[in-house]
């Protein structure tokens, strides 16, 4: 099944503060911008808030380690939705050494969310995690295994932790990321028969993430995001299903 939200003209209603974890760069930073533009109050958490080059009346910057339970619990105070966008620095260790960063940080977050009664989690993993592994064609799969196999082994665990939680979750799997502008031309693919490798801008991913704050269309689903043009198999766009008040 293919579902697009990019063309929706529905305005978002502001919710309680949105906590964005991993907010200093990449998708996380773009999501801070998109959430503020949509009118939400944002708490942006990162190891170094000096790297968040934004000032806004509705933005609160919070320095913290995603692996520290006390810090994460404190960050959840007054929060209605969490967007988790974690990353690791590029380098030889990413290729050569296993990591447990994604799974450990996610376990800490979900435990804290369940204890503080914060229900909604929007989690970014990537195309190649879980049952999307091996769907990008031979060359992509080979390069993926050599370069990111160890990282995605841990993202598999991360997704498993999210899926077995009691939260209202959405797992988002973007394809290869670019620094291009927001295009509003992306698709969210939930049917494995439609999955293939492609490209998408971080700004488009951020746009999609913010739409999930108050839209249940992809609740308990794991859409793959791609900017490829729709095919004849595409379904017509469905109106968003709003969250109950």
């Amino acid at each position: 099944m293919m579902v697009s939200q990019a063309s929706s003209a529905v305005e978002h209603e502001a919710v309680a503060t949105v906590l964005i974890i991993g907010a200093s760069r990449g998708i996380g930073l773009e999501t801070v911008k998109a959430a503020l533009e949509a009118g939400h109050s944002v708490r942006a958490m990162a190891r170094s808030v000096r790297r968040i080059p934004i000032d806004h009346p509705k933005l609160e910057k919070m320095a913290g380690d995603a692996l520290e339970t006390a810090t994460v619990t404190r960050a959840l105070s007054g929060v209605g939705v969490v967007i988790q966008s974690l990353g690791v620095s590029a380098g030889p260790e990413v290729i050569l050494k296993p990591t447990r960063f994604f799974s450990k940080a996610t376990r800490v977050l979900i435990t804290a969310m369940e204890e503080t009664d914060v229900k909604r989690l929007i989690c970014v993993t990537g195309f190649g995690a879980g049952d999307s592994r091996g769907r990008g064609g031979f060359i992509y799969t080979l390069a993926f295994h050599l370069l990111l196999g160890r990282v995605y082994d841990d993202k598999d665990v991360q997704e498993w932790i999210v899926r077995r939680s009691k939260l209202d979750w959405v797992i988002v799997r973007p394809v290869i990321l670019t620094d291009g502008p927001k295009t509003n031309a992306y698709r969210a693919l939930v049917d494995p028969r439609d999955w293939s490798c492609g490209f998408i801008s971080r700004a488009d991913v951020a746009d999609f993430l913010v739409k999930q704050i108050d839209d249940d269309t992809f609740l308990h689903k794991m859409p793959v995001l791609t900017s490829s043009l729709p095919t004849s198999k595409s379904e017509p766009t469905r109106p968003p299903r709003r969250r109950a008040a």
Side-chain angles (χ1 to χ4, degrees):
M1 179 175 68
M2 305 184 188
V3 181
S4 172
Q5 293 186 325
S7 61
S8 175
V10 176
E11 293 293 330
H12 293 279
E13 297 178 2
V15 299
T17 300
V18 179
L19 172 61
I20 300 175
I21 300 178
S24 64
R25 61 182 180 177
I27 293 172
L29 181 58
E30 291 296 329
T31 304
V32 172
K33 298 174 185 177
L36 291 171
E37 185 178 350
H40 300 295
S41 296
V42 176
R43 180 172 297 148
M45 178 176 160
R47 285 179 179 268
S48 175
V49 295
R50 292 179 298 176
R51 296 183 60 186
I52 303 175
I54 306 170
D55 290 298
H56 192 282
K58 289 189 174 184
L59 173 62
E60 175 190 356
K61 302 177 187 180
M62 179 177 177
D65 189 334
L67 297 176
E68 294 179 354
T69 299
T71 300
V72 173
T73 300
R74 186 169 66 253
L76 288 168
S77 177
V79 162
V81 178
V82 179
I83 298 176
Q84 184 199 51
S85 178
L86 300 174
V88 292
S89 299
E93 65 278 3
V94 172
I95 300 173
L96 301 175
K97 296 181 180 181
T99 180
R100 295 180 59 199
F101 171 67
F102 299 96
S103 59
K104 289 175 68 175
T106 301
R107 198 180 300 276
V108 167
L109 174 61
I110 287 178
T111 299
M113 289 180 67
E114 291 178 343
E115 290 178 351
T116 56
D117 203 33
V118 179
K119 296 294 188 183
R120 195 171 191 87
L121 172 62
I122 304 160
C123 174
V124 182
T125 57
F127 183 55
D131 61 353
S132 68
R133 184 171 297 203
R135 298 277 185 170
F138 175 75
I139 294 177
Y140 174 81
T141 300
L142 178 61
F144 174 91
H145 176 75
L146 293 174
L147 298 176
L148 295 174
R150 293 180 182 270
V151 168
Y152 273 75
D153 286 344
D154 194 47
K155 289 195 176 190
D156 290 347
V157 180
Q158 178 188 18
E159 289 195 351
W160 179 82
I161 293 169
V162 173
R163 292 175 63 188
R164 70 187 294 269
S165 74
K166 298 178 181 179
L167 303 178
D168 295 334
W169 55 263
V170 181
I171 293 173
V172 181
R173 297 164 165 175
V175 292
I176 299 173
L177 298 168
T178 75
D179 290 323
K182 183 173 73 170
T183 68
N184 291 318
Y186 59 83
R187 292 179 295 155
L189 312 176
V190 295
D191 189 333
R193 293 172 296 181
D194 297 322
W195 293 345
S196 62
C197 185
F199 296 88
I200 189 168
S201 71
R202 292 173 175 85
D204 274 340
V205 176
D207 181 75
F208 180 81
L209 296 177
V210 170
K211 285 180 168 65
Q212 307 320 302
I213 289 173
D214 53 7
D215 184 347
D216 288 339
T217 300
F218 294 95
L219 191 63
H220 296 153
K221 292 183 172 63
M222 297 175 288
V224 169
L225 292 190
T226 178
S227 61
S228 301
L229 294 175
T231 68
S232 59
K233 296 187 294 180
S234 299
E235 294 182 0
T237 302
R238 297 183 300 180
R241 296 201 298 269
R242 311 299 290 186
R243 295 176 63 193

